[in-house]
Amino acid sequence: MGEVLVYVDHVDGAVRKPTLELLTLARRIGEPVAVHLGPGADTAQATLAGHGAVKVLTADLPEFAEYLVAPKVDALEQAVAAVSPVAVLVPSSAEGKEIAARLAVRLGSGIITDAVDLESGDEGPVATQSVFAAAFTTKSRVTKGVPVITVKPNSAAPEAAPAAGTVEQLAVTVGEKSTGTKVVSRTPRESTGRPELTEAAIVVSGGRGVNGAENFKVIEDLADSLGAAVGASRAAVDAGWYPHSNQVGQTGKSVSPQLYIASGISGAIQHRAGMQTSKTIVAINKDPEAPIFELVDYGVVGDLFEVVPQLTDEVKAR
Ligand code: FAD
């Protein structure tokens, strides 16, 4: 089996869950080699090795922080030249997709984005995608160059698999063209103290039925009692009740938690596209005919302003 490059998404060496999912999927198609760019490789090493990385290639150049993604693409391109991998896997984040697209152009390779599963095939890795608002599932493989594949968060459960994880320095030369756009400032979003939407084990979402920004407190209270992230339908986001960064669905984020609780959401196909792979789905809706009830594991027909606070109290009492 050949080696598979896995781009590490991390914050100062704290490896994010989607990378552990990539390492798990990478083991199906080859031997994972993690590419850790920026500070904190020593911190990250144990986690990466614990999830099957046979090697950790690392480089920490000031250019990675000073410029947009292009210097990281230089580093990945040079990692590909050094390793000749069977594929490069990148998390389907906004940054990850830009890196992957630029890398594919540089390599003259085909790219598959937003894969939800990966398997090995006779002629190279085969990626599964969920397309047309999850109405179809397709399987495809790259026929040209080193396959570059981005994978959606929560596509696989991270599995521990001890490996050597030997740290090696990657020699990186940043190209002149890669320093064309300088980062002027970074403003971290104010933390809500809640887990990241795409990585959360539980998501509690509200829709038009919540009927106002101030009423989202009901949804947030339930989320906080469960240690969950808060999601919103597009109707709630378009009404200005909740930020777009919390939108779940075709034009929002795709989530696949252990438990998804939808309150006051009808279940339009575009919303389903972002949540229907959740392991257990619960809906609270006052309309017994609401389409969301077609896909739930548990449904409560009732007014969310009565049901959700009772649920919160019950969870808090345990
Ligand atoms: P509605 O469909 O209006 O449903 C509200 C529900 O709340 C109803 O079922 C009602 O019975 C229930 N309700 C009302 N009051 C209460 C109460 N007190 N207690 C309990 N239940 C109550 N949508 C997304 O969500 N995400 C996307 O990413 C997305 N992308 C889109 C992309 C495109 C190209 C298009 C065309 C649409 C997209 N949409 C998306 C919009 C989608 O089609 C729906 O319009 C939207 O999902 C509806 O949101 P909703 O379920 O909150 O509202």
Side-chain angles (χ1 to χ4, degrees):
M1 277 214 284
E3 293 176 317
V4 183
L5 285 189
V6 171
Y7 175 76
V8 177
D9 183 9
H10 69 99
V11 181
D12 295 336
V15 181
R16 296 169 68 110
K17 189 165 149 259
T19 300
L20 307 182
E21 295 163 15
L22 288 195
L23 287 168
T24 302
L25 290 173
R27 293 206 308 277
R28 296 187 191 162
I29 57 171
E31 294 202 310
V33 172
V35 182
H36 180 286
L37 305 177
D42 290 345
T43 314
Q45 191 274 342
T47 310
L48 298 169
H51 288 81
V54 294
K55 223 184 286 175
V56 179
L57 299 178
T58 183
D60 184 11
L61 303 181
E63 286 89 340
F64 296 149
E66 286 171 13
Y67 299 93
L68 294 182
V69 297
K72 292 180 180 169
V73 180
D74 290 334
L76 271 175
E77 189 183 6
Q78 287 155 42
V80 169
V83 171
S84 299
V86 295
V88 182
L89 305 186
V90 182
S92 277
S93 59
E95 184 190 77
K97 283 202 248 189
E98 188 178 348
I99 288 175
R102 285 171 179 260
L103 181 66
V105 170
R106 298 259 196 105
L107 299 174
S109 289
I111 182 170
I112 296 172
T113 55
D114 287 341
V116 293
D117 204 2
L118 215 53
E119 62 198 279
S120 74
D122 293 341
E123 294 170 271
V126 176
T128 304
Q129 288 165 294
S130 177
V131 299
F132 296 133
F136 292 90
T137 297
T138 63
K139 285 184 186 265
S140 40
R141 71 178 171 80
V142 167
T143 56
K144 187 167 173 252
V146 177
V148 178
I149 303 171
T150 78
V151 181
K152 278 191 170 189
N154 287 313
S155 292
E159 286 166 16
T166 320
V167 177
E168 284 181 20
Q169 284 300 318
L170 179 67
V172 178
T173 310
V174 174
E176 223 174 86
K177 287 185 184 159
S178 298
T179 53
T181 317
K182 200 168 169 68
V183 175
V184 178
S185 67
R186 287 178 200 273
T187 312
R189 209 181 321 140
E190 230 173 83
S191 170
T192 58
R194 299 190 184 99
E196 165 66 30
L197 182 59
T198 53
E199 297 170 22
I202 306 177
V203 174
V204 182
S205 286
R208 203 194 306 271
V210 174
N211 199 25
E214 63 289 356
N215 297 340
F216 255 87
K217 172 97 176 52
V218 177
I219 305 296
E220 290 179 338
D221 284 348
L222 177 58
D224 292 342
S225 73
L226 291 164
V230 175
S233 73
R234 179 161 160 180
V237 170
D238 284 353
W241 302 340
Y242 227 68
H244 180 258
S245 53
N246 294 68
Q247 184 177 313
V248 172
Q250 189 182 327
T251 43
K253 288 185 175 156
S254 188
V255 301
S256 198
Q258 295 299 322
L259 173 62
Y260 187 87
I261 304 179
S263 303
I265 294 178
S266 61
I269 190 161
Q270 296 88 353
H271 187 80
R272 292 179 185 207
M275 47 65 76
Q276 66 181 8
T277 53
S278 305
K279 311 297 174 290
T280 301
I281 299 172
V282 177
I284 300 151
N285 197 305
K286 65 181 183 185
D287 175 8
E289 303 295 325
I292 190 105
F293 286 129
E294 289 163 15
L295 80 156
V296 298
D297 298 284
Y298 301 96
V300 182
V301 178
D303 186 330
L304 73 92
F305 295 104
E306 286 171 22
V307 177
V308 175
Q310 285 182 50
L311 198 51
T312 307
D313 289 345
E314 186 62 34
V315 174
K316 280 186 182 162
R318 290 186 179 213

